[in-house]
Amino acid sequence: MKQYIITLLIAGLLFSPLFAKEITITADYAVELALQNHIDIKTAQISLEQNRRSYAHSWNNVLPDVSATGTASETRTYSSSDTDKSSLKAGVSASLSLDFGLADKIKQLKAEYNSGKISYDDTVRSTQTAVLQSFYNLLYLKEKVEAAKSTCESYQRQYDQILAKAKRGVSNELDLLTARVNLETSKPDADNAEKTYLNELVSFLNTIGLSVEPDTTVILDGSLDYADKLGEINKTQIIETCESTSSEVLQLEEKIKASKYSKKSTASQLYLPSVNVTASAYPYNWQNEKITDTTSNTPNWTVSLGVSLPLSSWIPGSSSKDSVAKIDDTIKTYELQLENTKKSVRTKVIEKIKNIELSQKTLKARKMNVELAEKSYQMTEDAYNRGTKDLLTLQKSLDTLQNAKLQLSEEQYTLISNVLALENTLSLPSGSLFNN
């Protein structure tokens, strides 16, 4: 029986990894999921479809109102001259109002659709940027977890070595106590780093709309070395063209167009005459006078044309004039916002380019610092093993190395994040400035 249980345990150890749940997430896959599931994009899609439908169906403004009618009646009166009559009538009628501002109204709907399309694209880009920044932030937090675990493992090895020396009587009690404190202190640091990473990971999974089982292992397939793929940035060209490519600027320009067309369309309705055409045809118009026993069927049709001119719109201070003036105020407000947005975009782009340039310089220094720290730690560890360096010196050397690696990872993330933010400001697809 014991042999059977042991066999089952061995089989479980051998084959349980085959059934472990794992999911690998790349940066592109995370973006793809977010575009499918993010609530902001779904909301923007609904709004865009409304604008598209309004513009695509704008031709229905020139369709007449058509209705079919059918009536049957029985008329009887009681007087000196009695009436007893039946009638049956069937036909169609149509009416059409001619709007002289219709062309401007259609142009307004087109401008509103273009503005909505720009807004939707901007939402997509912003979502991509946020997801990618979160993805690379997770990679950085993962590096912090690995660094904390590595530090903990190094302190464990140091403690084991000092403990072995203490048993041989070649190590003092203070070194052993110091090693023990370092080890125990590093354990909660590693736990806290992992806790922070897992919390951010859960938030990230919720953002991209991915549900995983509690026992699922999530693997992030990516590297902060992606920062090294940054291509050459043409600073002059970017600054000169940033205003013309910014979605904020383009959206305001479309809003100004829509408001101007709205003003023309409203003015046409308020100040120009309106024309209304109505027509009706009754191919079946049957009547029967029962008293005289006479029957008739007199099909008929009518056409009428009406023209009306609004006079109240020409009165100074009328509500009609105020409505046009209100639209004019809206146009002026958008124009002020446009000028301010152009300046703001230009300032943001210049600031982000400076941040990128500073981050690139810092990144070079961080790489050199890591190389120096690695050599210093190797030399200090060799000296400690030979007994020419004490434990405190070795500990400081290890801390310096881990800090140098984390500073490098942090600067890589900072550079990637700054470039993604610049691409979003310029309304460029995420990753455009990197050499993939």
Side-chain angles (χ1 to χ4, degrees), residues 226 229-231 419-420 423 427-436:
Y226 184 64
K229 296 183 178 181
L230 178 62
V419 174
L420 291 173
E423 291 172 339
S427 301
L428 296 175
S430 298
S432 300
L433 298 177
F434 291 94
N435 298 320
N436 296 319

Side-chain angles (χ1 to χ4, degrees), residues 51-63 99-115 254 257-266 268-269:
N51 289 334
R52 186 205 64 80
R53 187 167 54 246
S54 297
Y55 170 61
H57 297 169
S58 57
W59 52 268
N60 59 23
N61 289 275
V62 297
L63 290 179
D99 184 2
F100 290 102
L102 180 59
D104 291 319
K105 184 177 181 180
I106 294 176
K107 291 177 181 178
Q108 174 191 348
L109 293 174
K110 182 179 180 180
E112 290 175 349
Y113 170 72
N114 290 337
S115 177
E254 291 298 330
K257 289 181 183 178
S259 297
K260 288 182 177 180
Y261 289 131
S262 175
K263 177 183 176 181
K264 291 181 180 180
S265 175
T266 302
S268 297
Q269 294 175 352

Side-chain angles (χ1 to χ4, degrees), residues 52-168:
R52 186 205 64 80
R53 187 167 54 246
S54 297
Y55 170 61
H57 297 169
S58 57
W59 52 268
N60 59 23
N61 289 275
V62 297
L63 290 179
D65 293 328
V66 181
S67 60
T69 59
T71 59
S73 64
E74 179 74 24
T75 304
R76 179 176 298 176
T77 61
Y78 297 94
S79 62
S80 58
S81 177
D82 292 342
T83 300
D84 190 0
K85 181 172 63 176
S86 300
S87 65
L88 186 61
K89 188 177 183 180
V92 294
S93 60
S95 63
L96 175 63
S97 297
L98 300 180
D99 184 2
F100 290 102
L102 180 59
D104 291 319
K105 184 177 181 180
I106 294 176
K107 291 177 181 178
Q108 174 191 348
L109 293 174
K110 182 179 180 180
E112 290 175 349
Y113 170 72
N114 290 337
S115 177
K117 182 67 168 58
I118 294 171
S119 177
Y120 172 76
D121 293 339
D122 188 56
T123 301
V124 171
R125 275 191 304 271
S126 298
T127 302
Q128 289 176 330
T129 300
V131 169
L132 289 175
Q133 287 176 332
S134 297
F135 179 82
Y136 287 105
N137 181 50
L138 282 173
L139 293 180
Y140 167 61
L141 293 178
K142 187 66 175 176
E143 292 284 346
K144 293 184 70 173
V145 172
E146 297 300 327
K149 289 182 177 180
S150 177
T151 300
C152 187
E153 293 171 358
S154 297
Y155 284 147
Q156 181 69 58
R157 288 194 300 270
Q158 291 175 12
Y159 175 74
D160 293 339
Q161 291 175 1
I162 295 174
L163 181 61
K165 290 181 180 180
K167 290 180 179 179
R168 297 196 304 269

Side-chain angles (χ1 to χ4, degrees), residues 380-399:
T380 304
E381 188 176 30
D382 293 340
Y384 174 77
N385 292 332
R386 293 194 304 268
T388 58
K389 294 289 184 179
D390 59 12
L391 178 63
L392 184 59
T393 303
L394 180 63
Q395 173 192 338
K396 290 181 179 180
S397 180
L398 177 61
D399 291 341

Side-chain angles (χ1 to χ4, degrees), residues 269-271 310-316 318 320-321:
Q269 294 175 352
L270 295 176
Y271 297 109
L311 299 179
S312 60
S313 303
W314 298 88
I315 300 175
S318 66
S320 300
K321 285 184 174 293

Side-chain angles (χ1 to χ4, degrees), residues 242 341-353:
C242 64
T341 300
K342 287 181 178 180
K343 296 177 183 178
S344 176
V345 168
R346 190 180 185 87
T347 302
K348 288 179 182 178
V349 169
I350 294 174
E351 180 182 356
K352 286 179 171 57
I353 289 177

